[in-house]
Amino acid sequence: MRAASNISLFTPLTLPNGRVLKHRIIKSAMSDSLADGRGNPTAAQMRLYERWATGGVAALIIGEVQGDPHFPEKPGNLVLDEQADLAAFSDLARRGSADGAQLWLQLGHAGALAHLPISQPRGPSAIDFPDFRSEAMSLPEIRAIPDQFARTAHLAAKLGFGGVQIHAAHGFLLSQFLSPLFNRRTDAYGGAIHARMRLLIETVEAVRAAVPRNFTVSVKLNATDQLDGGLTEQDALKVVAELEGKGVDLLDISGGTYFPGAPSSSDRTSKGPYFLDFVRAARGLIAIPLMATGGFKRRDEAEAAIMAGDVDAVGIARGFVLDPALPRTWQARQHEVPFPRFTTLPPGGMTAWYTMRMTDIGSDREGSVDRGIAQAITEYENRDAQRARIWQNRFNSRPKQT
C-alpha cells in the first residue's frame, strides 16, 4: 500500500500514455445489450453513453465489443469490424466523449461462454459438464486471437474512441486460458501459469502495436475466479507482474466468472469494496496505474481507497445505472445512491433488472418506469430472443475469421 497522500477522488489522473482523466471515477464495463442485433449501435445506446458522459464521468467502458461475431456474449453485443456501420460507431464515440469523458471499448470474445442460440462455444479445452458443453479451439484459432483484437482496436482508434480494455476476466476467453479449471492444454498455451497467460500477453502486445501511443490500452483481470480449481490469487499476481512493460495504461482488477453455478462478485457476502487486498499486493509488482471494480457503493468507500493509495481509480457499474450523474452527485455531496432490495431474486433477475434500466436511461424515461424483477426478466429474455433471430440472419452466412 502506498503512503496516504492528498490525492482525492476528484484529482486528475495522468496515464502512462499521457492521457489525463479528469478525476478517478470510471464507469466500468457492463453488458448493456443495446446493439441492434446486427452488431451496430442504436440511438438508445448512444444516448445512454452520452448521458453518462455529461453526468461527469472521467472514463466509461462499453462492455463486450466483439471483433468476431461468431463468439458473442449476447445478441445485443456490438461487433466492430470492416462490415459494421462505421458511421454509427463514430457517432457513438463522439457522443460518449462529451464533457471531456473518455470512451473506451471493452474487447471481448466469449469463448466457451459464447451465447448458445447464436454460437458454438469454443474455449481452450473441451468441456462436457451435465449442463454445459464447449469444444476445444485449434492452435490456428488460438494464434488468430491477438490479431483479431488488434484489428478491432485499430478501428476503434480510427473512429474516435479514446481507448480499449482487453477483457481477461469473468470467465470469458482470455480468462478461460488463465484458469487451470478450463485450460487443460498440454501445448504452449496450457500447463503452468506462464504458458496459460501466453495468449493474454500476445494479445496485449498486438493491440499496443496496432494503436497510437496516446490511445489507452487497459486490461481487466480477475484477482480470482472464486471457483475451486480456478485461477488463484498467487497465479494472478504472476500475470500482473508479467504485464509490466507491455504498454498497459490501466489495470482493472475484478473477479468471479459467469459460468453456470459459479458465484458472481456481486453475490459476495462481504460488504464494501472487493479485491483491495489483492490490489495492495499487486502494488509492489508493477508501476501501471491500478483500478478496482466491485463493491464501491458510497463516496466515502471510493475516497478512502484513493486516499490510502490502494488504487488510482475506482470502477463502478450499477451505481451509474441508478444515478447516471453519479460523479456530479458525489462531488456535490448531495446524497448516497440507494440500491434496490428485492424480496425474491430468481437466477438472472438482477442482471435483467439493471440491463432494462439502462434501456430506460437511453430512452430518457427512467423516472417513469417502475418494473419488478419478473417483468424485467420477461422483457430482457424477449428482447434477447428477438435480437438472436436478427443476429442469425446477419451473421450465420459470414465466413468465420481465422
Side-chain angles (χ1 to χ4, degrees), residues 102-146:
Q102 298 187 29
L103 182 58
W104 305 339
L105 303 182
Q106 185 185 67
L107 306 185
H109 184 305
L113 284 179
H115 194 56
L116 267 175
I118 54 175
S119 183
Q120 292 182 332
R122 296 174 72 82
S125 302
I127 298 173
D128 190 6
F129 296 159
D131 58 348
F132 188 87
R133 287 181 174 82
S134 172
E135 298 177 3
M137 297 174 69
S138 68
L139 199 55
E141 287 175 321
I142 294 169
R143 289 173 173 161
I145 294 297

Side-chain angles (χ1 to χ4, degrees), residues 34-36 39-46 78-79 84-85 88-90 92 161:
L34 275 173
D36 62 1
N40 295 314
T42 59
Q45 193 169 35
M46 294 181 196
L78 291 169
V79 179
D85 184 344
F89 273 93
S90 182
L92 174 62
F161 293 94

Side-chain angles (χ1 to χ4, degrees), residues 154-301:
H154 180 73
L155 262 179
K158 285 178 59 177
L159 294 171
F161 293 94
V164 293
Q165 181 180 79
I166 297 168
H167 197 357
H170 299 168
F172 296 108
L173 182 69
L174 296 177
S175 178
Q176 292 160 26
F177 269 87
L178 294 174
S179 173
L181 185 62
F182 302 107
N183 182 353
R184 305 188 188 96
R185 301 184 70 92
T186 57
D187 57 15
Y189 292 93
I193 184 59
H194 288 287
R196 300 199 312 272
M197 75 170 82
R198 179 177 176 177
L199 183 58
L200 170 60
I201 300 302
E202 290 178 344
T203 301
V204 170
E205 291 176 334
V207 168
R208 181 74 273 172
V211 297
R213 186 66 193 94
N214 67 350
F215 185 81
T216 299
V217 175
S218 171
V219 172
K220 188 164 194 171
L221 179 70
N222 267 7
T224 169
D225 290 343
Q226 298 175 203
L227 287 173
D228 290 340
L231 180 70
T232 65
E233 292 191 2
Q234 291 79 10
D235 276 356
L237 286 171
K238 293 176 183 177
V239 179
V240 168
E242 194 66 24
L243 288 169
E244 182 70 10
K246 300 296 190 297
V248 176
D249 297 300
L250 184 68
L251 179 57
D252 180 8
I253 300 299
S254 190
T257 82
Y258 289 111
F259 274 92
S264 69
S265 295
S266 55
D267 293 332
R268 293 165 68 100
T269 56
S270 59
K271 295 184 181 300
Y274 319 142
F275 314 121
L276 290 183
D277 287 343
F278 180 90
V279 173
R280 293 181 190 116
R283 275 290 190 204
L285 302 175
I286 57 171
I288 301 168
L290 292 170
M291 165 179 161
T293 294
F296 289 102
K297 293 184 177 180
R298 303 193 313 271
R299 173 181 168 145
D300 63 341
E301 295 170 336

